[in-house]
Amino acid sequence: GALCARYLRSTFYVNSDGMDLVHWYELAQLLSRLSSGWLSAPSQVQLWYGGAHELEMAGLLVALANDMGLIGLALLTILLYMRVFFGGWRLALLASLQIFLSLPFMYWIVTVPFGQTELAAFAGASLWVVLGVSADNIFVICETWGQSTQLVRSGRPASPAERLTWTVRQAGAPLLFANGTTAASLLINCFSSLPAIFQFGLCGGVLLLTNLALGVTYLPALLVLQDSGVLDGSGEAGEEEREAERRSRSRVLQAVHGGLWR
């Protein structure tokens, strides 16, 4: 009978003299498509290549560009969940904006006080770590703010200022410990002698702490505006409708979570 080879190996050579940066990037894209499947799952083709430094750098840029698509998918998933959680696009978009606002603050801190004017591509990997933690901060603060509606002061319902103070104190301490330990695990990389590792830890740690600071300042202000009816234009007269909407969203989220974890 016929013999079937399990592995087929072949070698091809590239004339580097006729290659510029664009050609190297196009070659790296082709190799990436051949060697990976959907969501980077291994395909039937495995590639081993090396030699040219330009090809290695182009391969890194292609991998980074592909992974940025996954960041976009994660952000879209978070945004859609926030749309259900908040019951409207306006507050969902403004709350998600907190994550984007932390990026220029982080960049200024890293480049000006710390003098890291040229960032390695690996520093961008910290985005994957910070994204989930930042979204968790938003949900924790929002849930705590929702619980503050039951707060009573001197026999009367708490005022918005009293609710705000209680929310920040109640959620701030656990978030500080949670984000602080995660930031410390990233910042410890700043002791590395490798510049890329140093910048990865620095960017990730600073980004986490910046996002936490926005979470206890920017986000509570949004929640006060939402409850006062400024964001949706309903004013104080729409309080009962907003409360009924909150209960309805809570039931929807409970049903979703129940379906996912049963």
Side-chain angles (χ1 to χ4, degrees), residues 31 46 60 74 91 116 129 134 137 162 165 170 175 184 187 189-190 198 205 219 226 232 237 243 249-250 253-254 256:
L31 295 175
Q46 297 295 323
L60 175 61
L91 185 56
Q116 300 297 310
V129 180
S134 302
N137 293 347
E162 291 169 333
T165 302
Q170 193 75 6
L175 286 180
L187 291 173
N189 291 288
C190 293
F198 170 85
L219 186 59
Q226 173 68 13
D232 56 14
E243 184 61 30
R249 291 200 306 270
S250 179
L253 291 173
Q254 288 175 0
V256 171

Side-chain angles (χ1 to χ4, degrees), residues 136-151:
D136 285 342
N137 293 347
I138 294 173
F139 293 126
V140 169
I141 293 174
C142 290
E143 280 296 313
T144 309
W145 173 256
Q147 295 171 11
S148 70
T149 57
Q150 308 300 319
L151 197 63

